């Protein structure tokens, strides 16, 4: 990666902590939006480090709530997913409920030994929120089918094999801190472009995607030659 696509110095990571047992609530939505505010208002490459944890499976996620609150939650998650900053999650213990849904919006996922991922359910069925869409987009229909139709408890090893987790570490917080410093040197606008290219790849034909990829390549080449202003931070 050229020096034009990296920042001179990273900003401190923005952090948040989410317990798997929490029901959906207005304060939970506000916490996600507040994190997005911090990321969007930061001067430079601030990385989000999100700690997901729990000691038991969430019961009846999202709880006794109305569809309006569910809609606000989904909008907050989409905002987090699309923010230009890099997002790292640390998974410890049981990842379920809100933690599971946040997990699927992250760019990099680091698990602690012994983690378990439980797909959230409501009234005996897997919750039909946008986590179903993300699971299918990220894992493919074959791997997502069983999780979506019947639910499952996924071990750390299985999570690694399927791609729900990128790596495990005895001290995931230390690994996340090192990566946050490294990722903070990336230009957020360029990171966001590449993330979108990845998301589009599964649903866009090669010929249709080619123009977007060539445009991104041309922008990089022209910037490396000094023909473009530095990428916006």
């Amino acid at each position: 990666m050229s020096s034009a696509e990296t920042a001179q110095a990273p900003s401190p990571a923005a952090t948040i902590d989410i317990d798997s047992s929490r029901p959906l609530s207005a304060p939970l939505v506000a916490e996600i939006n507040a994190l997005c505010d911090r990321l969007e208002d930061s001067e430079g490459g601030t990385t989000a480090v999100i700690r997901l944890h729990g000691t038991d499976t969430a019961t009846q996620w999202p709880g006794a709530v109305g569809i309006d609150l569910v809609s606000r939650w989904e909008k907050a998650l989409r905002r987090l997913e699309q923010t230009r900053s890099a997002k790292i999650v640390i998974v410890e213990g049981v990842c379920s409920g809100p933690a599971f849904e946040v997990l699927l919006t992250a760019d990099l996922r680091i698990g602690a030994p012994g983690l378990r991922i439980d797909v959230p359910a409501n009234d005996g069925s897997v919750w039909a929120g946008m986590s179903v869409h993300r699971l299918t987009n990220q894992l493919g229909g074959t791997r997502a089918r069983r999780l979506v139709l019947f639910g499952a408890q996924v071990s750390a090893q299985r999570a690694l094999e399927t791609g729900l987790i990128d790596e495990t570490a005895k001290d995931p917080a230390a690994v996340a801190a090192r990566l946050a410093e490294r990722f903070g040197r990336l230009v957020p606008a360029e990171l966001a472009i590449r993330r979108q290219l990845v998301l589009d790849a599964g649903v866009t034909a090669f010929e249709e995607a080619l123009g977007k990829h060539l445009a991104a390549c041309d922008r990089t080449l022209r910037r490396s030659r000094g023909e473009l202003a530095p990428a916006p931070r």
Side-chain angles (χ1 to χ4, degrees):
M1 183 171 291
S2 70
S3 59
E5 292 179 353
T6 60
Q8 295 303 311
S11 301
T15 62
I16 189 174
D17 187 291
I18 297 179
D19 191 313
S20 289
S21 65
R22 291 181 64 178
L24 181 56
S25 65
L28 180 58
V29 174
E31 287 179 29
I32 298 297
N33 280 320
L35 175 62
C36 293
D37 288 340
R38 291 168 62 189
L39 295 172
E40 293 167 3
D41 294 343
S42 64
E43 297 180 359
T46 298
T47 298
V49 176
I50 307 170
R51 178 174 176 255
L52 310 175
H53 64 95
T55 57
D56 202 356
T57 303
T59 58
Q60 296 301 308
W61 168 259
V65 298
I67 196 63
D68 178 66
L69 184 57
V70 173
S71 177
R72 288 162 54 194
W73 169 249
E74 293 289 5
K75 290 177 181 177
L77 289 179
R78 184 58 170 168
R79 183 184 176 195
L80 177 63
E81 185 175 41
Q82 292 187 315
T83 186
R84 300 189 309 171
S85 300
K87 296 169 291 292
I88 303 171
V89 296
I90 301 167
V91 185
E92 299 172 316
V94 178
C95 179
S96 187
F100 175 78
E101 299 213 343
V102 171
L103 170 77
L104 298 179
T105 70
D107 298 312
L108 188 68
R109 305 156 187 181
I110 307 170
L115 75 90
R116 190 178 82 230
I117 296 176
D118 286 358
V119 181
N122 183 286
D123 195 27
S125 299
V126 170
W127 176 241
M130 289 305 292
S131 58
V132 172
H133 184 278
R134 292 187 176 96
L135 269 176
T136 305
N137 182 272
Q138 294 172 23
L139 304 187
T142 300
R143 286 183 169 178
R145 183 179 61 243
R146 181 179 177 185
L147 297 179
V148 170
L149 296 182
F150 308 111
Q153 293 186 346
V154 183
S155 67
Q157 182 60 39
R158 184 60 177 163
L160 277 170
E161 292 172 354
T162 59
L164 283 171
I165 294 294
D166 295 303
E167 61 180 285
T168 58
K170 293 182 178 179
D171 189 351
V175 175
R178 291 195 298 271
L179 291 174
E181 181 177 3
R182 173 187 168 192
F183 294 164
R185 299 182 183 278
L186 300 175
V187 174
E190 295 295 332
L191 177 65
I193 289 171
R194 284 148 181 77
R195 181 191 298 124
Q196 192 60 49
L197 291 175
V198 171
L199 291 174
D200 290 346
V203 295
T204 306
F206 182 91
E207 291 76 11
E208 183 181 348
L210 180 59
K212 294 180 180 179
H213 284 264
L214 289 177
C217 292
D218 181 59
R219 187 169 46 252
T220 298
L221 293 172
R222 292 174 64 191
R223 186 174 296 112
S224 68
R225 297 194 296 265
E227 297 175 5
L228 293 179
R233 297 287 304 167

